[in-house]
Amino acid sequence: MSEHPISAQGYGPDHRSPYGYGLHHVLLAIPKDSEEECRAFYVGVLGMLEIDKPPALKARGGLWVRADTLEIHLGVEQGFRPARKAHPGIRVTGLDELAERLAGRGVEVVWDGDFPGHRRFYADDPVGNRLEFIERDAG
């Protein structure tokens, strides 16, 4: 038996560092002038709350959203190309309900059963960034 308990991720040992690591936010790049389209998706479809950016950062464009313990910063990038491989893995409860909500709003949901002990699917945001939604398998 391992001296480390199973991690909150549901696999492998847990580990505590002396630094208290935690994720503050994930930054995803978006193209110029895509804020409204992204707002409709992240706020309107995913149900996140838009939060005010600090005044010094507002002029750069983009938007920030938050829900539960997740914060995503959407930042305008010149020469934007969507993240197709790199992606946030977003923990959820109610994975099936979220998949239905996305599919019902025309978002393609691609299920992937290759992660033992977990259920997950991928979906793209309106500018083509890949998002992974994952939930530990209750069974």
Side-chain angles (χ1 to χ4, degrees):
M1 183 165 156
S2 171
E3 65 183 73
H4 301 284
I6 297 297
S7 73
Q9 261 74 341
Y11 60 93
D14 204 355
H15 173 72
R16 300 270 182 236
S17 79
Y19 309 107
Y21 293 123
L23 189 62
H24 181 275
H25 69 272
V26 171
L27 176 98
L28 295 173
I30 61 173
K32 186 176 189 235
D33 299 324
S34 66
E35 288 89 348
E36 288 305 316
E37 185 179 19
C38 290
R39 184 175 288 113
F41 177 76
Y42 285 94
V43 175
V45 176
L46 293 182
M48 300 182 82
L49 175 70
E50 183 172 359
I51 56 175
D52 286 334
K53 292 178 68 172
L57 300 178
K58 272 188 184 181
R60 297 180 187 178
L63 66 140
W64 292 2
V65 293
R66 179 186 296 155
D68 304 311
T69 62
L70 175 64
E71 188 168 314
I72 299 175
H73 295 181
L74 301 163
V76 173
E77 181 175 59
Q78 299 303 321
F80 167 79
R81 289 186 7 194
R84 302 303 308 139
K85 182 69 172 176
H87 62 273
I90 302 170
R91 249 191 232 155
V92 300
T93 57
L95 188 68
D96 293 312
E97 293 84 357
L98 179 58
E100 288 175 23
R101 180 175 177 85
L102 289 167
R105 285 165 175 77
V107 177
E108 182 182 10
V109 171
V110 179
W111 289 93
D112 180 346
D114 292 338
F115 196 152
H118 295 78
R119 298 177 60 242
R120 67 181 178 171
F121 67 80
Y122 296 98
D124 291 345
D125 75 3
V127 297
N129 289 314
R130 182 183 197 194
L131 305 173
E132 176 183 344
F133 296 95
I134 188 166
E135 181 176 47
R136 284 179 70 176
D137 192 350

